[in-house]
């Protein structure tokens, strides 16, 4: 069974500082990995995803994530935080291209707070 | 551009009551999903559908039912509401399965349900 662990339910950074949100997964087969962002009272929005190919994936709003198979990690980073980045971020995994359930397993989320 | 629309946005139910959460999408997507989000937790898949007339269980289907009579609509029914069903419910849709290259899942804004 697949699972996702996001270290730190709350992360606080200063505006302009590096953002690092951690995600580790477990999967018995090569995973497909996703990061979603959720702004208050809104649904989830896809930031980026890794399926195959280049392990460094660039997404919207200046975010990127690197798939590291040896570490079973898919950490999300952004070089310089902006106030508008304050939101909840979810890492998700899907472990089989033939998964007819199209099931995403989500981590518990990390709330990012950005201080002025 | 409506996207995925859910109603109602807020609802309070008494134990044992029934209700239907409505979901409609105007993007002609084949795939539709219902997730629930509990505090501090990631989203869990309740039911999904890969096309009109086809539905299947997700990770947490007990206590819920769905139908998919049209491409646009995917209602979620709670037959006998229980306090454990207090949650935020998200409907989502996508053109393809989660693994398909270039695919994006679009989420509604959520429905807050409280069972007392």
């Amino acid at each position: 069974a697949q699972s996702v662990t996001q270290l730190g339910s709350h992360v606080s950074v200063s505006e302009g500082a590096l953002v690092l949100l951690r995600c580790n997964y477990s999967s018995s087969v090569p995973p497909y990995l996703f990061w979603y962002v959720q702004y208050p009272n809104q649904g989830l929005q896809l930031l980026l995803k890794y399926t195959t190919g280049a392990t460094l994936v660039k997404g919207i709003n200046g975010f990127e994530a690197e798939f590291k198979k040896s570490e079973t990690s898919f950490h999300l980073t952004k070089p310089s935080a902006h106030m508008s980045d304050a939101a909840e971020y979810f890492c998700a995994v899907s472990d089989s291209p033939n998964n007819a359930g199209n099931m995403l397993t989500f981590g518990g989320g990390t709330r990012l707070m950005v201080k002025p | 551009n409506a996207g995925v629309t859910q109603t109602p946005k807020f609802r309070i139910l008494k134990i044992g009551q029934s209700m239907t959460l409505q979901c409609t999408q105007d993007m002609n997507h084949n795939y539709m999903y219902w997730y629930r989000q509990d505090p501090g937790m990631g989203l869990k898949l309740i039911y999904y559908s890969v096309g009109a007339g086809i539905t299947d269980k997700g990770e947490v289907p007990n206590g819920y039912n769905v139908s998919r009579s049209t491409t646009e609509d995917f209602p979620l029914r709670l037959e006998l509401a229980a306090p454990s069903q207090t949650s935020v419910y998200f409907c989502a849709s996508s053109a393809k399965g989660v693994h398909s290259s270039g695919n994006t899942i679009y989420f509604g804004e959520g429905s807050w349900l409280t069972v007392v």
Side-chain angles (χ1 to χ4, degrees), chain B residues 65-115:
Chain B
N65 279 299
V66 293
S67 60
R68 185 91 182 272
S69 57
T70 67
T71 299
E72 296 78 19
D73 301 307
F74 190 42
L76 177 72
R77 181 139 181 99
L78 286 71
E79 290 294 348
L80 292 170
S84 61
Q85 293 178 303
T86 294
S87 189
V88 183
Y89 292 83
F90 287 98
C91 181
S93 74
S94 63
K96 309 173 188 178
V98 295
H99 304 105
S100 299
S101 175
N103 187 53
T104 298
I105 299 179
Y106 295 86
F107 284 81
E109 294 186 348
S111 297
W112 274 254
L113 176 65
T114 302
V115 182

Side-chain angles (χ1 to χ4, degrees), chain B residues 13-73:
Chain B
L13 276 182
K14 294 184 178 178
I15 295 172
Q17 284 186 321
S18 301
M19 76 158 297
T20 299
L21 296 175
Q22 301 291 345
C23 176
T24 187
Q25 52 91 8
D26 62 359
M27 296 172 282
N28 201 33
H29 286 168
N30 285 324
Y31 293 77
M32 295 189 75
Y33 316 83
W34 273 107
Y35 287 90
R36 61 176 287 173
Q37 182 181 25
D38 298 320
M41 307 287 286
L43 278 70
K44 293 187 181 298
L45 184 65
I46 305 171
Y47 271 94
Y48 69 96
S49 169
V50 300
I54 306 170
T55 63
D56 208 343
K57 296 178 180 179
E59 187 180 359
V60 290
N62 292 343
Y64 306 94
N65 279 299
V66 293
S67 60
R68 185 91 182 272
S69 57
T70 67
T71 299
E72 296 78 19
D73 301 307

Side-chain angles (χ1 to χ4, degrees), chain A residues 84-95:
Chain A
S84 61
D85 294 327
E88 186 133 21
Y89 292 80
F90 292 94
C91 182
V93 63
S94 184
D95 68 358

Side-chain angles (χ1 to χ4, degrees), chain A residues 66-109:
Chain A
E66 186 171 12
F67 168 55
K68 291 187 176 181
K69 183 179 179 180
S70 61
E71 299 177 7
T72 61
S73 69
F74 191 56
H75 301 331
L76 181 70
T77 61
K78 182 174 180 177
S80 176
H82 191 274
M83 295 296 290
S84 61
D85 294 327
E88 186 133 21
Y89 292 80
F90 292 94
C91 182
V93 63
S94 184
D95 68 358
S96 170
N98 296 318
N99 176 3
N102 291 282
M103 193 178 304
L104 289 176
T105 297
F106 286 83

